[in-house]
Amino acid sequence: MLRIAVQSKGRLNEESTALLREIGIDVDDSKRKYISKASNFPVEMLYLRDDDIPGVVANGSADLGIVGLNEVMEKGYDVEIVEKLGFGGCRLSLAIPKADEYEGVSYFDGKKIATSYPAILNKFLKENNIKATIEVITGSVEIAPAARIADAIFDIVSSGSTLIANNLKEVEIVLDSEAVLIGSGNLSPENQEILNEIMFRMESARISRGKKYMLMNIPEDAIDKAIEILPAMRSPTIMPLAAKGWCSLHSVVDNDSLWSKVHQLKAIGAEGILILNVEKIIL
Ligand code: PRT
Ligand code: ZN
């Protein structure tokens, strides 16, 4: 049984459990439960505050954890990053009052900076030889300059609208973050096998995302052009049709280029184009 720590509520909870469901692990995330077993896979979920996840993975209370890279770096525990998960994207940035001139990090010399991430900030200041005071506050960091608690802030930025609403501007990005799967690095052989299966399924889920399956009828003499338009995993599947001179062509395409491909294929004579969702791709 492999134990995975995930955030109990908050920004990462939903996508963490959705990811596990996407790879076929039946997660019961009725949020009042602290621990719950998946019904169809040998994993047990441990629901915690995100701040506690790196620690429980480091001390072996959980085998894996899903948490923001920002929390992992701040806590500084000896855990390994098994996989970047592609959601919960944000950055840890320094921001200052909008009206202030900014010509470089020396701006922060002698200043007071409010943050919930003192360890990451301290490291950045040291590396840049800046002597500033760190004021640790655990919430509403963005109000610190207006409230005269600090001159500047070091906080999570995503869209940037919180900074704008508080008359602040982002001047240095210190860390790019996203949700990561972390592990302690010493699993039993049995749990390592479970992790391998999870990684195998995650890879398949990653490849399948944003893909569509396309099939169409196409005149035989347009096949070469169609193959140029549709580079598939190896090459498109082509099957003869009962109607002479026609065949059926199947391929997988990126959602982003779907409509441009549809128009290119119609231009070379494709008809009856069907577009279907892809459930899973295993290479
Ligand atoms: O209760 P618990 O301790 O578990 O949760 P929490 O309140 O500490 O964290 P939570 O749920 O707010 O965030 C969890 C993780 O989501 C963070 O550690 C980040 O890795 C990630 N994440 C992604 C974010 C954001 N985007 C984000 N925008 N975390 C916080 N914010 C906040 C930020 O603090 C700021 O107040 O949103 C505001 C900025 O957003 P924009 O879009 O206005 O720039
Ligand atoms: Zn937290």
Side-chain angles (χ1 to χ4, degrees), residues 18-19 30 80:
L19 174 66
S30 61
E80 66 180 38

Side-chain angles (χ1 to χ4, degrees), residues 8-271:
S8 53
K9 51 182 171 16
R11 288 167 199 266
L12 302 182
N13 165 269
E14 236 169 69
E15 280 177 283
S16 303
T17 49
L19 174 66
L20 295 167
R21 272 197 213 100
E22 189 185 358
I23 61 170
I25 301 178
D26 241 329
V27 179
D28 167 17
D29 65 342
S30 61
K31 290 171 185 122
R32 266 150 278 157
K33 265 195 188 162
Y34 176 67
I35 293 186
S36 71
K37 282 195 176 73
S39 60
N40 63 348
F41 197 79
V43 303
E44 185 172 60
M45 310 296 294
L46 181 63
Y47 293 99
L48 296 174
R49 286 200 61 185
D50 66 346
D51 311 58
D52 297 330
I53 294 175
V56 298
V57 172
N59 75 19
S61 305
D63 302 298
L64 298 175
I66 297 179
V67 66
L69 180 64
N70 50 304
E71 286 298 330
V72 180
M73 302 305 275
E74 178 63 24
K75 296 295 184 289
Y77 288 110
D78 185 17
V79 291
E80 66 180 38
I81 303 205
V82 181
E83 182 87 348
K84 291 185 171 179
L85 299 175
F87 62 87
C90 59
R91 48 202 192 269
L92 264 175
S93 294
L94 281 157
I96 65 170
K98 202 172 83 185
D100 281 15
E101 289 242 340
Y102 186 77
E103 279 166 1
V105 280
S106 61
Y107 170 94
F108 295 100
D109 249 325
K111 295 271 196 323
K112 195 187 257 189
I113 310 168
T115 189
S116 315
Y117 294 91
I120 298 172
L121 177 57
N122 195 27
K123 182 165 172 278
F124 175 82
L125 294 174
K126 262 205 181 130
E127 280 167 5
N128 286 280
N129 252 323
I130 305 293
K131 297 236 167 337
T133 309
I134 298 177
E135 184 72 33
V136 179
I137 46 178
T138 54
S140 306
V141 173
E142 63 279 359
I143 64 151
R148 279 185 261 120
I149 294 169
D151 305 298
I153 68 165
F154 177 60
D155 199 10
I156 292 177
V157 182
S158 164
S159 66
S161 55
T162 302
L163 294 183
I164 293 169
N166 287 280
N167 270 317
L168 298 168
K169 62 180 175 189
E170 186 176 12
V171 292
E172 298 284 342
I173 297 176
V174 173
L175 178 77
D176 279 307
S177 182
E178 66 182 274
V180 289
L181 181 69
I182 55 170
S184 60
N186 50 4
L187 292 180
S188 65
E190 183 194 321
N191 280 344
Q192 184 61 48
E193 242 177 70
I194 301 171
L195 173 58
N196 293 349
E197 178 63 20
I198 290 175
M199 299 303 293
F200 175 74
R201 294 187 187 189
M202 277 190 181
E203 171 71 358
S204 155
R206 193 182 58 73
I207 299 167
S208 325
R209 248 169 248 146
K211 296 277 200 297
K212 296 284 177 197
Y213 190 76
M214 224 180 171
L215 48 158
M216 71 211 73
N217 296 334
I218 193 149
E220 269 169 6
D221 56 14
I223 287 175
D224 289 346
K225 281 189 204 142
I227 291 173
E228 270 173 44
I229 298 168
L230 286 174
M233 278 172 286
R234 272 186 208 280
S235 62
T237 306
I238 298 162
M239 284 177 284
L241 285 184
K244 218 173 165 349
W246 283 80
C247 55
S248 166
L249 189 148
H250 301 206
S251 187
V252 173
V253 295
D254 279 328
N255 218 357
D256 294 344
S257 59
L258 182 75
W259 291 107
S260 87
K261 303 259 187 226
V262 165
H263 292 298
Q264 291 174 58
L265 290 160
K266 275 181 73 70
I268 61 164
E271 288 180 1

